[in-house]
Amino acid sequence: SLDDYIYGINISSGKQLWRYKIGDTQHSIPIVYKDLVISGSVNDYLYAFNVLTGEIAWKYQTGDMYYSPTLEEETLYAVSREEQIFAFHTETGELLWDFKTFDENNPSPTIGGDKLFIGSDDNKVYAFNANSGEQLWKFQTLEDIRVSPAYADNVVYIGSNDDRLYAVDADTGTKLWEYETKGNIYSSPVIYENKVYLTSLDSNLYVLDAKTGDFLWDFSTEASIYAAPIINNGVLYIASYDYNLYTLDADTGESFWTFPTEDKIENAPLIQKGIVYLTSNDANIYAINESTGKQIWKYTAEADISASPIISGDNLYVGSKDDYLYAINIIDGSLLWKFKTGSDIYNSAAVA
């Protein structure tokens, strides 16, 4: 929460188990590993807490951590906005290696095979040996990079604020192709069946050939798109600031259905067992039939919802700018409980 605390809450009752004052606005999404919950903070520390008691298992002074770490087996990779990259043993907090860049490191790291890829405000993407921390290469773009690279089939796909998507050989850092949109790129591309799906602040979704970068087709909305596209069972989902969720055939671009909300949609939907769960800045949480696009239920919070929901068992959990974390039954949309923090909740919760 933006009240500077991280909370441990019983998911059955909604009662507080513990809380810890991190000391500054809390943006990093928590990560659960065994009996630990791990969170960065902008008070310069990365923390690992016991999930039941809130006791600090370990902490490390990293500098301002705005983005969430990336967990890969027993190794935790984290980036600092103070020009540092870190690799830790997740259970013990032992520092395995670190590296200093020349500007703030923004998005969460991406793992591809035995390599780690990180974008930076110095307009570069860095590639490292994920085990040793050895720098393998760096790739220069024309502006800063605010999204995590994507990786598939030994190719790294890099979206930059120079409005371009770059495809780079993962071994050498050699550019394979680039494609220019008409706006900044604030979400990671998705690679599916040899195609790249890319959204841009120019209001468009672009579909490109993954090997050549050739344009295949596009789809236009009426406002900027900040959310990454989602593909499920061959259906493409696009959440736009024009208040709508669009669904298309991922291969042909044929439109299936459009679901309107009453305000901007900041995050991609969550899809599970034939139901699409969607949050919007209209303060609503929607459950939508995946096949028909018809609303099954909605629950209205008391303020905008910028956080993505998560599901555990039969319950959905989501925070709101009304300071509450909500637990909602996914079958009928009934409220199980709500937990009040001291300020807005912008990020997703984590369930242990």
Side-chain angles (χ1 to χ4, degrees), residues 152-172:
D153 298 325
N154 211 45
V155 177
V156 185
Y157 299 89
I158 302 162
S160 171
N161 271 356
D162 64 13
D163 303 348
R164 293 172 172 86
L165 178 71
Y166 299 89
V168 175
D169 184 285
D171 289 330
T172 65

Side-chain angles (χ1 to χ4, degrees), residues 87-106:
F88 299 97
H89 187 278
T90 308
E91 196 158 3
T92 66
E94 176 191 358
L95 179 67
L96 303 177
W97 58 263
D98 62 351
F99 183 88
K100 186 171 179 61
T101 62
F102 295 97
D103 209 330
E104 294 181 2
N105 303 302
N106 283 304

